[in-house]
Amino acid sequence: NAGVTQTPKFRVLKTGQSMTLLCAQDMNHEYMYWYRQDPGMGLRLIHYSVGEGTTAKGEVPDGYNVSRLKKQNFLLGLESAAPSQTSVYFCASSGLAGVLIGELFFGEGSRLTVL
Amino acid sequence: GDSVTQMEGPVTLSEEAFLTINCTYTATGYPSLFWYVQYPGEGLQLLLKATKADDKGSNKGFEATYRKETTSFHLEKGSVQVSDSAVYFCALSDLKGGSEKLVFGKGTKLTVNP
């Protein structure tokens, strides 16, 4: 009963390096989200997807790209990492009914440090 | 735009104390309201919800009532336990654009001491 799985859980990058965070869900959910969590800032939405092959910008999309080639996977990419992208990243998913009642299922988070 | 404002923490209580975490919101329509909880080292999970005015959400001894007149959704628990130590997030739903996105408050960290 995996739910939402994020990989990697920890990563240290140098400024300018690129990387991809993978989110996988096994609940056949339509909606998937990427948030970042920073001290004193709460959760901020980066990008989201309402179905396979679709993506949309959230509140803080700059510096990030996403892809949803398969329904179960939602990838978050950093093409050229910056220290301002040091954060904890959370993926979440929701089925149609879950979206209507606000029930998102979250992964355990990926802690990224950019030096 | 829609927004959520929570009381700033951290909040430190002794076991069996009464808990209130304030949450107020700004929304143009009629949002649904939620409390999420994040235990140390974990992702967020839904604690309770209310979808219309005067609804009361409850779970695990926690309660919150949707007050439209004061635009509030305060979280309460009569007797906290050490295991309630976590970060609590108030959130509202945003139905704009045809898809639902949640708008989160900044979170309130609760520490309960034995």
Side-chain angles (χ1 to χ4, degrees), chain B residues 13-32:
Chain B
L13 296 173
S14 298
E15 207 164 23
E16 298 184 1
F18 183 85
L19 169 72
T20 299
I21 300 178
N22 291 337
C23 172
T24 57
Y25 68 90
T26 301
T28 53
Y30 300 94
S32 296

Side-chain angles (χ1 to χ4, degrees), chain A residues 4 23 31-35 74 90-94 104-107:
Chain A
V4 178
C23 176
Y31 292 76
M32 296 187 76
Y33 306 83
W34 275 108
Y35 288 90
F74 195 30
F90 285 97
C91 177
S93 73
S94 183
L104 271 60
F105 294 83
F106 282 81

Side-chain angles (χ1 to χ4, degrees), chain B residues 33-67:
Chain B
L33 301 172
F34 312 91
W35 278 100
Y36 275 76
V37 59
Q38 182 181 29
Y39 298 105
E42 299 183 10
L44 282 70
Q45 55 186 276
L46 181 64
L47 179 61
L48 55 82
K49 66 182 189 293
T51 57
K52 60 183 186 297
D54 299 325
D55 267 3
K56 176 184 285 188
S58 61
N59 186 24
K60 299 182 180 180
F62 291 89
E63 294 183 341
T65 301
Y66 188 164
R67 301 288 188 197

Side-chain angles (χ1 to χ4, degrees), chain A residues 33 35 37 40 42-43 45 48 90 99-104 106-107, chain B residues 34 36 38 41-44 46 49 89 99-102 104-106:
Chain A
Y33 306 83
Y35 288 90
Q37 183 179 28
L43 283 168
L45 182 64
Y48 65 101
F90 285 97
V99 167
L100 292 175
I101 61 174
E103 182 157 20
L104 271 60
F106 282 81
Chain B
F34 312 91
Y36 275 76
Q38 182 181 29
E42 299 183 10
L44 282 70
L46 181 64
K49 66 182 189 293
F89 292 89
S99 68
E100 182 156 332
K101 296 177 286 182
L102 290 185
F104 287 90
K106 294 183 178 181

